[in-house]
Structure formats: C-alpha cells, structure tokens
Amino acid sequence: MHSKIKTVQQHILDEERLHPGATGDFTALLTTLTLAAKIISREVNKAGLVRILGETGEVNVHGEAVQKLDEFAQNTIYRAMGHNGHLCVMASEESENIIPIPGESKRGKYVLMFDPLDGSSNIDVNASIGTIFSIHRRITNHSPDGRLEDCLQKGIDQIAAGYFIYGSSTMMVYTTGHGVFGFTLDPSLGEFLLSHESIRIPSRGKIYSINEGNTHSWDAGTRRYIDYVKNDQKEQGHPYTLRYIGSLVADFHRNLLKGGIFLYPGPKGKLRLLYEAAPLAMVVEQAGGAASTGGERILDIQPTSLHQKVPLIIGSRDDVREYNQFYREASASAAD
Ligand code: FDP
C-alpha cells in the first residue's frame, strides 16, 4: 500500500474547501504560522551551539545579537503574523497585555493566542519543547482593531487549535474541529508532511504524568487518585507508569499518541487557560479524549483575564472521567 504524500498547506486547503463561502484567509493564516514555526524550529535546533556562537545577551561571531529563545519565538510569531493581514489582535503568554496589530498592517477577522515556547526550562537540557496556538473568530466590530473581549472567549468557540513540538523531529498537530492531524517537518524540503492521519487517543492509557514533588499541595481528590493509579488500578492488571518530562507539549503529545493522563491540579494550578489548557483541550476532545479542572470541562470555562491559571487534567477519556469522580467525591466529603 502506498500512503499519500500531502503537505500541511494542501491539507488545510482541502479542509477549507469543505466550507462553502470560505475565502482562503484561514488557509493563509495557518500557512504563515507554519512558516514562523519553521524559523523557531531552526533556531531551537541550534540551541546547544549558543555557548559556541555566543551567550544570550551577547553579540555572536556573525555580529548578531543573541536573543533568548523564548523571546526569539515571541518576536518571530509577532513579525510573521502581525503583517499577515488576517488577524485583528493577538495575545501571548509572554506579554502582559493584548498585542495590537502593527500600525500599517491590514486588520482581519481572526484572533491568535499563543504560547511561543512552552517548557522553556527544558531548552538547556535538549528535551522537547513546543509552541501552542489557539484561533478564534473576532466578536467585536467597534473598530478594525480587536479588543480584550476578542481574546477572552471560551475554548468551545475556538475555530482551530494545535501545537508544534520541537523534538527528535519537529511536528505540527492541529484541529479545526474535524479530527486531529499530525505533520512532520522534512527539514530538507522545509515542508510539513502528513504523518498522522485522524489521531485518536486510546480511551484508557497506562501512563500518569504529574509533578510528584508537589504532593504536599495537592487536594484530597488528587492524592487519592494518584494513590489509586499506583496501587489499586486493577483494570490494566498493573499499576500505571509515571512519565513526566515537565514540558507540557511533550508530555501531552506522548499521552495523545499512547494514551494516559496528564495532571497539573489545583487548587490554583500553574498552567494558563488561554495559551495552554484551552487549545490542548480542543485537540484532545477532537481526538476522543477529555480535559477538565476536576469539576469543570476546560472548554466551557469563561475566561476572565488574559493570564488566568486553571487546574488541568487532560488525556484519555476514561482516565479523566475516573479522576473527576475522585475529585467530586473528595470535594463532597470536604463540604459535609
Ligand atoms: P516551563 O515552566 O518549563 O515553561 O507552563 C510551563 C511549564 O513548563 C509546562 O510546559 C510544564 O508542563 C510545567 O510548566 C512544568 O511545571 P513544574 O516544573 O512545576 O512541574
């Protein structure tokens, strides 16, 4: 059997053609985003050479200022997407406020939220990191520029979401609400090629991913659940295996392909609703999985601020459902 060769651009175009009246703007938007990711990927691959070519904050042997990689990723996305003509506003995990479109550039009907380089504490040790994105349609129409309200939309209203992972290969995984597709970058061609068609997460996994160093701050439900998967989880016939890289995209990607549950529980959580939790929740749900805070579906949360943090429990459907039960039972008995 011969599998088809298809670039991400062809794939996005084919998907857009399913919508009568589509203008092609969305295809152009995502295509520009893949260009930014290729530039970031190239720089991530050189990260280990920083000491040879110049420390951050210095001038390298080519006379160029060496930027920190997360700043580089932020600037690259801003420069590529700001002039693309299809956005009215952006917001990033790295910026305190909304990011307006540069003065002279055309404004469009979409809103982009992104985490330019997630897991950045892993850069120095050569572990996988990623870029996460979320796209909404604008909801305001007061002026060509988008506003904060355009950014503070529920995850359920995303029209596309996904991530790039800079690992042993660079991959793009995305959804527009019709399944999840994965593309692997062929560096010699500079093209993302379809490598994972219609990704489905197993309904139950045997991996749990959590920072066990935080045990002291977990709520009772999380403590009981983790105890359960380590000791009493009989359905698999053996305890779950712990896998935790500490880079959300990398931990999420592994669990998406193999099955499993990732937890960054409350009470406050660490991960951001708009740049991390909501986009990955859309991906996981489209792949047949689930994402919750324990008490609430991530995609149903109405954001109230740009950098709002939420507990995030995400992965295989049956595992997340089981966690939610532990969480609810513990919350109910605490309330009695
Ligand atoms: P990082 O601090 O390295 O940027 O959101 C940030 C994040 O990484 C996630 O990628 C990761 O899952 C999490 O934080 C790790 O946090 P802990 O070190 O507290 O486990």
Side-chain angles (χ1 to χ4, degrees):
M1 197 198 88
H2 299 285
S3 55
K4 59 187 158 207
I5 299 177
K6 197 175 195 184
T7 65
V8 67
Q9 279 78 20
Q10 283 169 322
H11 191 268
I12 300 165
L13 253 179
D14 288 351
E15 280 214 312
E16 187 153 358
R17 281 200 194 106
L18 297 175
H19 302 278
T23 56
D25 289 2
F26 185 66
T27 302
L29 179 74
L30 275 186
T31 302
T32 312
L33 195 58
T34 64
L35 170 67
K38 285 183 218 171
I39 298 172
I40 297 168
S41 173
R42 188 186 64 193
E43 220 54 27
V44 167
N45 286 334
K46 289 196 298 196
L49 295 170
V50 161
R51 289 218 169 76
I52 301 165
L53 301 177
E55 296 282 355
T56 52
E58 287 181 1
V59 171
N60 70 18
V61 288
H62 307 294
E64 302 152 344
V66 181
Q67 281 182 313
K68 282 177 67 185
L69 258 186
D70 36 13
E71 278 168 31
F72 176 85
Q74 163 87 6
N75 292 339
T76 302
I77 295 175
Y78 174 72
R79 286 168 56 210
M81 304 307 293
H83 300 285
N84 167 276
H86 301 301
L87 294 177
C88 61
V89 68
M90 289 183 262
S92 156
E93 212 212 78
E94 294 287 326
S95 304
E96 198 183 332
N97 299 312
I98 57 170
I99 308 171
I101 302 306
E104 72 284 6
S105 297
K106 191 173 160 258
R107 272 66 172 150
K109 56 179 182 264
Y110 296 109
V111 179
L112 173 69
M113 323 282 292
F114 61 98
D115 181 354
L117 214 51
D118 181 76
S120 48
S121 55
N122 284 291
I123 295 169
D124 293 345
V125 295
N126 223 344
S128 302
I129 49 182
T131 298
I132 309 175
F133 64 90
S134 154
I135 300 172
H136 285 269
R137 207 168 263 116
R138 69 176 302 167
I139 50 172
T140 64
N141 55 9
H142 311 276
S143 73
D145 286 307
R147 298 176 165 203
L148 181 62
E149 294 144 81
D150 294 304
C151 298
L152 299 182
Q153 298 190 54
K154 287 184 184 180
I156 192 77
D157 295 322
Q158 291 170 108
I159 56 165
Y163 58 88
F164 297 90
I165 177 166
Y166 312 109
S168 47
S169 306
T170 292
M171 271 191 76
M172 175 187 187
V173 173
Y174 90 105
T175 180
T176 56
H178 306 281
V180 179
F181 298 87
F183 301 80
T184 302
L185 180 65
D186 180 332
S188 64
L189 299 174
E191 296 275 13
F192 282 98
L193 300 177
L194 181 62
S195 52
H196 296 65
E197 185 141 19
S198 298
I199 298 173
R200 302 294 296 170
I201 183 169
S203 55
R204 184 177 280 281
K206 46 188 176 208
I207 291 173
Y208 74 103
S209 312
I210 191 167
N211 184 341
E212 295 233 29
N214 292 337
T215 310
H216 62 280
S217 66
W218 293 346
D219 54 88
T222 303
R223 225 173 278 159
R224 280 181 211 151
Y225 175 78
I226 295 298
D227 204 43
Y228 162 75
V229 292
K230 291 197 315 198
N231 299 298
D232 305 326
Q233 224 302 336
K234 297 284 179 339
E235 205 161 308
Q236 300 294 323
H238 51 76
Y240 277 27
T241 298
L242 169 65
R243 292 282 180 271
Y244 189 75
I245 299 168
S247 172
L248 177 62
V249 172
D251 281 310
F252 176 82
H253 185 69
R254 181 203 50 244
N255 292 0
L256 180 70
L257 298 182
K258 297 194 167 213
I261 181 166
F262 173 95
L263 311 97
Y264 213 110
K268 288 197 228 107
K270 172 185 182 185
L271 304 175
R272 315 285 169 140
L273 173 59
L274 291 173
Y275 317 106
E276 295 172 314
L280 296 187
M282 181 176 183
V283 171
V284 87
E285 285 204 5
Q286 281 296 315
S292 86
T293 60
E296 197 177 2
R297 180 186 178 209
I298 293 287
L299 292 181
D300 287 338
I301 301 174
Q302 173 63 58
T304 51
S305 65
L306 274 184
H307 294 281
Q308 185 173 343
K309 294 175 182 171
V310 283
L312 177 64
I313 318 300
I314 189 165
S316 293
R317 190 193 56 216
D318 293 349
D319 289 306
V320 173
R321 196 182 49 214
E322 211 160 39
Y323 173 88
N324 291 344
Q325 270 164 12
F326 274 84
Y327 180 86
R328 271 196 293 268
E329 279 164 24
S331 310
S333 60
D336 285 344

